[in-house]
């Protein structure tokens, strides 16, 4: 099937198998290996990306379901060499150890902060309950999300997840697989 999907500000046009999962399309076709697979049950959240600005587990979606939509991965967050405030906050608060859960955790945290600009502990934990971390014990992740909330307050710098530099290119010419 033919799909056209905007990923991290670039529009890709591809032929894909109807059964191809979005996470495999991102990783194997587009080389977006920052989005990872941590389970085969839809429980871990490591594969979390944004679809039209809202978090989704990309192992639970087909690539064809992203047709005509805008996907943002962890690799699309930095702007002009500057990390997204949530990425900065995770770094500053030592909110990762092995880092495997981190891309999905950050994508989920951004979605949470879009709804809750000043979340308390419980709100952060509830908002991230679909994302599992085997290393950190979560405390520093909660701190990082709350720190990010402060960094993202008006006057603390621009909110970054916008696609102002969109352009069209096709990494995989139509007629591939
Ligand atoms: Fe998607 Fe675990 S890889 S939820
Ligand atoms: Fe290792 Fe979260 S930092 S799984």
């Amino acid at each position: 099937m033919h799909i056209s999907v905007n990923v991290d500000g670039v529009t890709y046009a591809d032929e894909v198998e109807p059964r191809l999962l979005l996470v495999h399309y991102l990783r194997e076709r587009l080389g977006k290996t920052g989005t990872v697979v941590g389970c085969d049950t839809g429980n871990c959240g490591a594969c979390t990306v944004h679809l039209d600005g809202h978090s989704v587990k990309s192992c639970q979606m087909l690539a064809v379901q992203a047709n005509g939509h805008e996907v943002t991965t962890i690799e699309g967050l930095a702007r002009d060499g500057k990390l997204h405030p949530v990425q900065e906050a995770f770094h500053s608060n030592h909110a990762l150890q092995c880092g495997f859960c981190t891309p999905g955790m950050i994508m989920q945290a951004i979605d949470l902060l879009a709804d809750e600009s000043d979340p308390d502990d419980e709100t952060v934990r509830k908002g991230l309950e679909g994302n599992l971390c085997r290393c950190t014990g979560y405390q520093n992740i909660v701190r990082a999300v709350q720190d990010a909330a402060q960094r993202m307050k008006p006057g603390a710098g621009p909110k970054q997840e916008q696609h102002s530099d969109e352009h069209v290119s096709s990494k995989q010419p139509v007629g591939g697989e």
Side-chain angles (χ1 to χ4, degrees), residues 98-158:
C98 81
F100 196 82
C101 71
T102 311
M105 210 53 98
I106 287 174
M107 300 311 289
Q108 183 64 26
I110 292 171
D111 194 21
L112 164 67
L113 290 171
D115 292 333
E116 298 279 352
S117 59
D118 204 1
D120 61 17
D121 233 73
E122 192 184 333
T123 304
V124 175
R125 288 178 186 275
K126 190 157 179 45
L128 298 181
E129 67 186 3
N131 292 69
L132 304 180
C133 176
R134 300 205 300 187
C135 306
T136 66
Y138 297 98
Q139 188 55 48
N140 285 1
I141 291 175
V142 173
R143 278 199 199 106
V145 175
Q146 291 175 321
D147 179 19
Q150 301 311 311
R151 294 168 187 255
M152 293 168 73
K153 285 230 162 98

Side-chain angles (χ1 to χ4, degrees), residues 18-144:
R19 66 185 175 182
L20 182 67
L21 294 175
L22 178 58
V23 67
H24 292 143
Y25 175 68
L26 294 171
R27 288 177 54 83
E28 291 157 22
R29 284 290 192 91
L30 306 188
K32 301 276 183 183
T33 52
T35 301
V36 294
V37 178
C39 71
D40 56 11
T41 56
N43 286 330
C44 78
C47 63
T48 303
V49 299
H50 290 180
L51 185 78
D52 297 335
H54 296 288
S55 60
V56 294
K57 291 179 175 178
S58 60
C59 75
Q60 298 293 294
M61 273 190 68
L62 298 168
V64 294
Q65 292 176 293
N67 183 33
H69 294 276
E70 183 174 288
V71 174
T72 305
T73 77
I74 189 72
E75 294 170 56
L77 294 182
R79 285 284 176 275
D80 301 324
K82 187 164 164 35
L83 294 176
H84 187 284
V86 178
Q87 292 175 302
E88 287 179 341
F90 267 64
H91 181 253
S92 300
N93 290 276
H94 309 290
L96 59 142
Q97 289 180 24
C98 81
F100 196 82
C101 71
T102 311
M105 210 53 98
I106 287 174
M107 300 311 289
Q108 183 64 26
I110 292 171
D111 194 21
L112 164 67
L113 290 171
D115 292 333
E116 298 279 352
S117 59
D118 204 1
D120 61 17
D121 233 73
E122 192 184 333
T123 304
V124 175
R125 288 178 186 275
K126 190 157 179 45
L128 298 181
E129 67 186 3
N131 292 69
L132 304 180
C133 176
R134 300 205 300 187
C135 306
T136 66
Y138 297 98
Q139 188 55 48
N140 285 1
I141 291 175
V142 173
R143 278 199 199 106

Side-chain angles (χ1 to χ4, degrees), residues 5 9-13 167-172:
V5 54
V10 177
T11 299
Y12 298 90
H167 59 283
V168 175
S169 78
S170 177
K171 185 164 182 170
Q172 293 280 342

